[in-house]
Amino acid sequence: MTEKEIIDITNRVFEEDFEIPAEKLLPEARIFEDLGLDSLDIVDLVVALQKSFKVRIQDDEKVRSIRTLQDIYNFIGDKRKETGL
Amino acid sequence: MKLHRVVITGLGSVSPLGRGVEALMDGIAHGRTGVRRMPGWEDYSGLRSLVGAPSELRDEKAIPRQKRRSMSPMSIFTVQAAEEALRESGLLPLSLDLNRVGCVVGSTIGSTLSINEFYEHFLPDRRFEEVPSTGFFRAMSHTASMNLAQYLGLTGYVMATSAACASALQAIGTGYHILNLGLQDVLLCGGTDELHPTVTGTFDLLYAASTGYNETPELTPRPFDAKRDGLVCGDGAGIVVMETLEHAEARGARVLAEICGYHTTGSGEHISQSNRPAMVHCMREVLRQAELDPGDVDYINAHATATLQGDGEEAGAIAEVFGDEVPVSSLKGYFGHTLGASGAIELAATVRMMAEGRIYPTRNLEEVAEDCKGIRHVPRSEDRRLTHVLKNGFAFGGVNASIALRART
């Protein structure tokens, strides 16, 4: 999976599940402050990302340090490498 | 303690006849039906009743996503009905002390759709993965009430009644008592439910759902009729704005009707069979509270769902209390049995009948059944001044509820 594919799939989750317009989905956008998600949304975001990328991230401590969309792209990329995908 | 008089100042509904009370009344006035053959229901093994009266979910995106994410269709219907009722009452935008404003919204079990959705994720492997975070908030038994309060920012009473098909009348009755005591100024009260094959199936397995009109859905349900063969489940929401008379008068609100009596009873006899003595007791107690003689009542809006047993018991109970002089009609032939919503949608329509001075007939009543004789049925619309009316709502579990309304004076 290329980096572009990771970005596209992640952004689609934000557009479809959280109804955030594409133009707001900039790599530096902060998930809480700029995109308006809250703690309940994060539970659903984790489920949606797990489903989309076939990785288990629910129990990964590194999830807590995610702040921006770019952090998600990086995290997913690393996670897929780690699990040999 | 001084008891406060309680009035209705706004009505709202989402019903199988459309969104809004106007659509509801237009459908009734033109004799339309919201009952249809339900596509895909033939795929459910053992389900014989393939008819339903669904309300249409639309414009839901007008509700912001973070408010909407905890709402299943029943909560969305409730919010839409409440906004309509608030608009009519003149209370929008809400600029009241919100600690004095609350809501009581009933339903049978919360969101049937969300409960089914949860088990579709969960079973057969008992997996919690992929269960949405807001699934429980969409499903729980006070979901409609909670969502409405969150949406409007209400900080007063937030309650849910749950007595199946009597839920809405119990909600309105409970609200009446809270306002009676002066504990709140304004309450949004009513009920809601959702249609799903498991709902109709529940009635079907008890032989209470209509099964003989799958190819001619417009001919069922048939309250009080000789050819009735059961109820048709529907869904939607009905909400009324209720407030103390002092509060309504102080703000110059237009009063639509006054609630002058409410009672609810159990039968103590049987969980599914209707019970005439309990119905009689319920209606008589309402008359006593309202200080009315049976002859003072100008119209009874019956529960009458078109079940074989229930309609006969209700007709018998009405005959025992009121004789055969008071006009009686049921609205379920127009939009089925909207279950937890029915009491509120039908009460809203009844308030509108009071304003119009017109009684709408029982749709599909062609030949009064032997066991439903002895009361004055309404075969066609009739103009009549409606000063006092009674609304009945009965439920599984032997639960009955009745409310008396007085026209604005």
Side-chain angles (χ1 to χ4, degrees):
Chain A
M1 187 177 277
T2 64
E3 198 184 334
K4 184 176 180 311
E5 283 169 327
I6 291 176
I7 293 172
D8 287 347
I9 292 170
T10 304
N11 286 6
R12 202 179 313 136
V13 166
F14 276 86
E15 282 182 70
E16 288 175 4
D17 292 11
F18 300 102
E19 300 175 16
I20 300 185
E23 61 271 20
K24 290 183 85 173
L25 299 175
L26 306 170
E28 65 273 21
R30 292 168 301 173
I31 294 160
F32 285 99
E33 298 87 342
D34 300 326
L35 303 181
L37 271 61
D38 67 6
S39 56
L40 280 178
D41 289 328
I42 298 304
V43 177
D44 292 339
L45 176 63
V46 166
V47 169
L49 293 175
Q50 287 188 154
K51 222 165 137 181
S52 302
F53 293 105
K54 313 270 183 287
V55 289
R56 187 165 173 84
I57 54 181
Q58 211 160 10
D59 311 316
D60 194 318
E61 277 299 310
K62 283 183 229 149
V63 170
R64 295 179 186 282
S65 58
I66 290 175
R67 296 284 176 273
T68 65
L69 274 182
Q70 186 64 55
D71 292 343
I72 296 180
Y73 307 147
N74 296 343
F75 175 82
I76 295 290
D78 293 348
K79 199 76 195 170
R80 284 181 62 86
K81 268 183 219 149
E82 247 175 59
T83 44
L85 288 168
Chain B
M1 182 188 273
K2 181 195 167 202
L3 288 181
H4 298 260
R5 290 170 68 184
V6 177
V7 295
I8 293 172
T9 56
L11 308 170
S13 79
V14 176
S15 78
L17 290 175
R19 183 162 164 196
V21 177
E22 281 307 320
L24 173 71
M25 298 312 294
D26 190 60
I28 293 171
H30 289 91
R32 285 197 287 269
T33 178
V35 176
R36 66 198 61 174
R37 166 84 179 221
M38 297 301 290
W41 282 24
E42 60 279 355
D43 298 340
Y44 289 79
S45 161
L47 183 64
R48 296 163 300 172
S49 177
L50 305 180
V51 286
S55 286
E56 187 193 357
L57 183 68
R58 61 185 173 96
D59 302 331
E60 65 272 25
K61 292 214 168 168
I63 302 169
R65 181 190 69 83
Q66 277 184 335
K67 298 284 187 193
R68 189 182 358 113
R69 66 185 170 174
S70 54
M71 296 181 184
S72 73
M74 70 193 294
S75 292
I76 293 169
F77 293 153
T78 299
V79 163
Q80 292 174 336
E83 282 194 317
E84 180 191 10
L86 284 168
R87 264 197 308 279
E88 182 175 30
S89 73
L91 284 167
L92 284 182
L94 277 175
S95 58
L96 303 166
D97 172 3
L98 294 179
N99 290 330
R100 301 283 301 169
V101 184
C103 58
V104 187
V105 184
S107 72
T108 301
I109 52 171
S111 168
T112 313
L113 297 177
S114 301
I115 292 167
N116 275 285
E117 201 176 87
F118 170 80
Y119 284 105
E120 278 165 20
H121 279 294
F122 186 65
L123 295 176
D125 302 321
R126 303 182 187 188
R127 293 177 68 244
F128 276 105
E129 291 97 342
E130 297 179 22
V131 171
S133 69
T134 49
F136 178 68
F137 299 97
R138 287 202 286 264
M140 57 196 187
S141 56
H142 68 306
T143 186
S145 193
M146 172 282 283
N147 274 305
L148 178 59
Q150 291 287 343
Y151 178 73
L152 293 171
L154 309 181
T155 51
Y157 276 59
V158 180
M159 287 178 62
T161 49
S162 186
C165 310
S167 299
L169 287 194
Q170 283 199 344
I172 293 166
T174 301
Y176 169 62
H177 288 158
I178 295 166
L179 293 164
N180 260 174
L181 294 171
L183 300 170
Q184 298 274 273
D185 293 331
V186 177
L187 287 173
L188 291 150
C189 298
T192 181
D193 252 324
E194 288 168 351
L195 181 60
H196 187 273
T198 55
V199 176
T200 297
T202 301
F203 290 96
D204 195 6
L205 67 88
L206 299 172
Y207 298 93
S210 175
T211 57
Y213 297 91
N214 288 337
E215 306 310 320
T216 50
E218 69 281 1
L219 299 181
T220 191
R222 309 176 66 81
F224 300 125
D225 189 78
K227 291 182 181 155
R228 72 186 188 274
D229 74 337
L231 56 76
V232 175
C233 294
D235 64 10
I239 294 289
V240 295
V241 174
M242 295 159 52
E243 50 191 309
T244 60
L245 178 64
E246 296 96 309
H247 190 270
E249 282 178 341
R251 66 184 190 87
R254 189 166 64 101
V255 170
L256 304 177
E258 177 175 3
I259 298 177
C260 52
Y262 159 70
H263 197 57
T264 183
T265 63
S267 74
E269 278 286 331
H270 196 278
I271 54 168
S272 65
Q273 301 280 299
S274 308
N275 181 274
R276 188 179 309 191
M279 293 171 175
V280 166
H281 171 60
C282 190
M283 290 187 281
R284 284 201 169 129
E285 176 59 21
V286 172
L287 293 179
R288 190 194 65 76
Q289 288 175 24
E291 299 178 348
L292 296 174
D293 291 324
D296 295 329
V297 174
D298 302 300
Y299 168 63
I300 298 168
N301 188 266
H303 179 66
T305 63
T307 60
L308 293 178
Q309 204 255 346
D311 287 15
E313 286 297 290
E314 184 174 10
I318 291 171
E320 193 173 328
V321 178
F322 295 94
D324 59 1
E325 295 286 313
V326 180
V328 179
S329 70
S330 162
L331 297 176
K332 291 189 172 71
Y334 300 93
F335 49 86
H337 187 0
T338 55
L339 310 166
S342 63
I345 294 174
E346 293 166 18
L347 184 133
T350 303
V351 171
R352 287 292 294 267
M353 284 192 238
M354 294 169 85
E356 290 179 28
R358 169 167 288 196
I359 299 172
Y360 289 106
T362 302
R363 191 178 183 280
N364 286 332
L365 175 56
E366 289 173 337
E367 184 194 344
V368 177
E370 266 318 303
D371 62 337
C372 298
K373 287 183 175 163
I375 58 174
R376 175 136 111 66
H377 290 285
V378 181
R380 61 192 69 82
S381 294
E382 70 181 64
D383 293 333
R384 184 179 171 120
R385 186 180 163 84
L386 302 178
T387 305
H388 293 106
V389 305
L390 191 78
K391 170 77 197 107
N392 284 338
F394 306 140
F396 273 167
V399 178
N400 307 304
S402 298
I403 287 180
L405 301 174
R406 180 181 294 128
R408 64 195 158 108
T409 47

